[in-house]
Amino acid sequence: MRRIVGIVLAVLLIGGVAAAVVAGRDSEETGTATKTVRMVIGSEKAAFFADPDVVEALAAQGYTVEAETSGSWAMEGLDLDGYDLAFPSSRAPAAELAQKHGVRGILPRPFYSPLVVVSRRGAAEVLAANGLATPAGRTPGTLKMAAYLDAARRDRTWQQLKGAERYGELTGTLFISSTDPQTSNSGALYLAAASYVANGGKVVASDAEVERTAPLMRTLVSVQGAQQSSTDAAFRDFVSGAGNPLVLVYESQVAALLDEQQNADDLVVLYPDTTVNSDHTVVPLTDDGRKLAELLGSDPTLRKLAVRHGFRPQGAITEFTAATVGRTAYLKQQLTGVRQAPVPTSAVLRELARRARG
């Protein structure tokens, strides 16, 4: 656990738009001349591009990467002059960036990761005992989104749930910690999934539907107080034992943690029965940017390394399944029983985030 905390802290120290994660230089050791590709990425991919094995694999293909981190929705406000690509964590902010910068054609999506809720075993058992989740034994549990949203509407506390009295840390209002939906992809996608369930299993599209679902979105966010700007920070707090007992993160972060340590203590992963996949989508700004983006999705070595960092490569579930065969107590190899909610348009999602933040 100390090792992974150190890794996460290191990633955070280099996070932020102003700080660069430099993934390699000219490969003097191999004598290979490389092209330098500058990119801005979601912080959850910083460890991937800083991995020495990824640096080596990219250098073997003739590339050196210089990556700076930013919240996915915050990228729209950045000056990307001189950059080769932007790499937000989902299609919605990527589509906006593509429109703003006149990028045409299909945007590459080399890998994806579903949103999950990490919990301690005690909290998961209490949720299951009260009909908010399915039990998590030797397999991952399921968070029942409709039941959870009903609890949020009624401002239920942990103390009102039977069995919570056995765990001193389970006090106060029951809620899931998420990131700021106005700047962070995971926070925005949380609202996408929650609003879909709250809207009767229909994507929010009209002003009337925004008006109807916005109060609950506001409840989900306001109860949290100050929110983190990145999932790296939220996951770091959870791993260190601090913060809220329920935290929304990317599955890839959990998979990367499990790759570093076989025993994850009392970690429980709850897959929301209605969630949204985070399709990591590249917005190529130059030819070199597009070539590197396509390489991420096609090169076998880079695909294997993406799996090692917890990402699911597009088009081949077998790669993820083979790599996670020993982790089925924590991860769903196939997302059966998990409904994918459509994501509202960027304009609607931004309005929901604005209303949620108040």
Side-chain angles (χ1 to χ4, degrees):
M1 181 64 75
R2 288 193 297 271
R3 183 182 178 191
I4 188 61
V5 171
I7 292 173
V8 176
L9 283 171
V11 171
L12 280 179
L13 288 173
I14 61 175
V17 176
V21 179
V22 181
R25 301 289 183 186
D26 288 342
S27 184
E28 297 177 357
E29 297 176 357
T30 63
T32 302
T34 61
K35 295 180 180 178
T36 298
V37 175
R38 294 187 65 201
M39 62 171 71
V40 58
I41 62 175
S43 61
E44 69 291 327
K45 293 183 285 288
F48 172 75
F49 284 107
D51 185 334
D53 290 337
V54 174
V55 172
E56 182 179 352
L58 287 170
Q61 297 293 334
Y63 291 98
T64 294
V65 168
E66 293 183 356
E68 297 178 7
T69 61
S70 167
S72 293
W73 286 98
M75 290 182 188
E76 187 183 6
L78 301 179
D79 180 3
L80 297 181
D81 185 37
Y83 288 81
D84 296 285
L85 62 90
F87 201 173
S89 302
S90 70
R91 283 180 281 184
E96 288 206 356
L97 284 168
Q99 183 177 13
K100 178 179 179 180
H101 294 277
V103 177
R104 300 183 182 277
I106 297 174
L107 301 179
R109 294 181 291 122
F111 42 72
Y112 67 99
S113 181
L115 289 170
V116 299
V117 174
V118 288
S119 170
R120 301 300 177 194
R121 188 157 301 279
E125 290 175 352
V126 170
L127 292 179
N130 289 269
L132 298 171
T134 61
R138 293 185 176 275
T139 58
T142 300
L143 178 71
K144 299 181 180 180
M145 281 292 286
Y148 167 70
L149 294 179
D150 181 64
R153 286 189 188 93
R154 294 188 286 150
D155 293 321
R156 296 192 73 181
T157 65
W158 284 104
Q159 292 93 320
Q160 292 172 329
L161 302 182
K162 61 182 179 182
E165 67 278 359
R166 298 197 302 270
Y167 306 98
E169 71 275 16
L170 300 182
T171 61
T173 304
L174 169 69
F175 67 91
I176 295 171
S177 290
S178 61
T179 54
D180 184 344
Q182 290 188 298
T183 60
S184 171
N185 178 67
S186 61
L189 294 185
Y190 177 44
L191 296 187
S195 64
Y196 179 82
V197 176
N199 198 37
K202 179 185 175 186
V203 65
V204 174
S206 67
D207 291 342
E209 289 169 334
V210 169
E211 191 68 29
R212 183 164 59 249
T213 57
L216 178 57
M217 302 304 103
R218 171 64 177 160
T219 297
L220 296 177
V221 169
S222 63
V223 71
Q224 300 182 45
Q227 291 179 290
Q228 301 278 17
S229 60
S230 76
T231 52
D232 275 339
F235 192 55
R236 176 201 61 175
D237 287 347
F238 178 83
V239 169
S240 67
N244 193 48
L246 301 174
V247 182
L248 186 82
V249 300
Y250 295 110
E251 179 195 57
S252 59
Q253 294 172 291
V254 180
L257 169 63
L258 296 173
D259 186 67
E260 292 292 331
Q261 58 184 75
Q262 296 301 313
N263 180 12
D265 297 329
D266 64 345
L267 169 71
V268 172
V269 182
L270 299 174
Y271 284 75
D273 57 14
T274 301
T275 188
V276 177
N277 280 346
S278 180
D279 287 306
H280 295 268
T281 306
V282 180
V283 181
L285 302 172
T286 66
D287 287 341
D288 284 340
R290 181 168 289 278
K291 289 175 183 176
L292 188 140
E294 292 171 349
L295 191 65
L296 291 172
S298 63
D299 182 77
T301 300
L302 289 169
R303 287 174 67 93
K304 183 177 180 179
L305 289 169
V307 171
R308 191 171 78 184
H309 282 266
F311 300 109
R312 295 176 180 249
Q314 298 283 359
I317 187 63
T318 55
E319 293 173 84
F320 187 82
T321 300
T324 57
V325 67
R327 310 175 195 169
T328 54
Y330 303 99
L331 304 174
K332 284 182 178 287
Q333 292 185 314
Q334 298 188 27
L335 300 175
T336 54
V338 176
R339 186 177 189 180
Q340 292 297 316
V343 178
T345 65
S346 295
V348 169
L349 197 53
R350 282 188 179 278
E351 179 61 14
L352 283 174
R354 186 189 70 79
R355 298 277 289 272
R357 290 290 293 166

